[in-house]
Amino acid sequence: MENNLEYKVQYADTDAYGVVWHGTYLRWMEAGRVEWLFQNGIRIDELARDFGIVMPVVDINIKYKYSAKLMNNVVVSTVVKSHTSASVTFEQIIRIKETGKICTVAEVKATALDKNGRVMRDIAGLIGLKNDQNKIENTPKNPVV
């Protein structure tokens, strides 16, 4: 299931020239993953508070393609690309809403840790994915590069 999160670039997201600072894209991707989980019935605040479960990022592969600028509207598209028993890999694409130009393409791998810091071996079940499939056949629309 694809989730799209829209955001208007603010002054605090940019450098002195009005160009989005490279680290800002990571923050937007985090928001996109949290929203994907929320739309799929998972609240990360409840996971942490009630069960002691956290979902840290363990690997990121990001390609920067085009710079967003102050007051652009961007769309963060998030889908699950694949998963194992211990991790889930999200594909995330950030685009300029008005033009469709791709700013970043990223694969972000996360795991789930219990309250003792041990890796949970059923992350798929935790976030509602089927355990019997290793690849999700759901990709973002128009992943033009």
Side-chain angles (χ1 to χ4, degrees), residues 13-72:
D13 300 322
T14 66
D15 61 17
Y17 305 102
V19 175
V20 171
W21 175 67
H22 70 279
T24 300
Y25 297 100
L26 299 174
R27 187 169 36 88
W28 293 343
M29 286 186 278
E30 177 77 17
R33 291 188 306 279
V34 169
E35 187 63 20
W36 185 94
L37 290 165
F38 182 76
Q39 293 301 318
N40 285 280
I42 308 296
R43 290 190 45 162
I44 62 166
D45 59 333
E46 290 176 355
L47 281 178
R49 182 187 64 233
D50 299 343
F51 305 103
I53 298 170
V54 294
M55 291 185 64
V57 168
V58 295
D59 189 43
I60 292 180
N61 181 0
I62 185 169
K63 291 179 178 50
Y64 295 93
K65 297 184 166 290
Y66 183 80
S67 296
K69 296 179 179 59
L70 182 62
M71 301 307 288
N72 281 156

Side-chain angles (χ1 to χ4, degrees), residues 69-137:
K69 296 179 179 59
L70 182 62
M71 301 307 288
N72 281 156
N73 293 297
V74 295
V75 178
V76 181
S77 298
T78 304
V79 297
V80 171
K81 181 175 182 182
S82 63
H83 62 85
T84 68
S85 63
S87 68
V88 61
T89 300
F90 294 92
E91 181 175 65
Q92 296 190 275
I93 298 173
I94 299 176
R95 292 182 175 81
I96 305 293
K97 181 178 180 182
E98 295 81 5
T99 65
K101 281 202 168 225
I102 294 175
C103 299
T104 62
V105 176
E107 286 187 7
V108 182
K109 183 189 276 187
T111 192
L113 302 178
D114 67 16
K115 61 185 172 187
N116 297 313
R118 285 187 233 124
V119 174
M120 298 182 67
R121 294 293 173 188
D122 186 17
I123 192 168
L126 177 69
I127 64 173
L129 300 172
K130 293 181 181 178
N131 284 325
D132 61 347
Q133 69 186 87
N134 187 32
K135 181 142 175 113
I136 305 298
E137 297 300 326

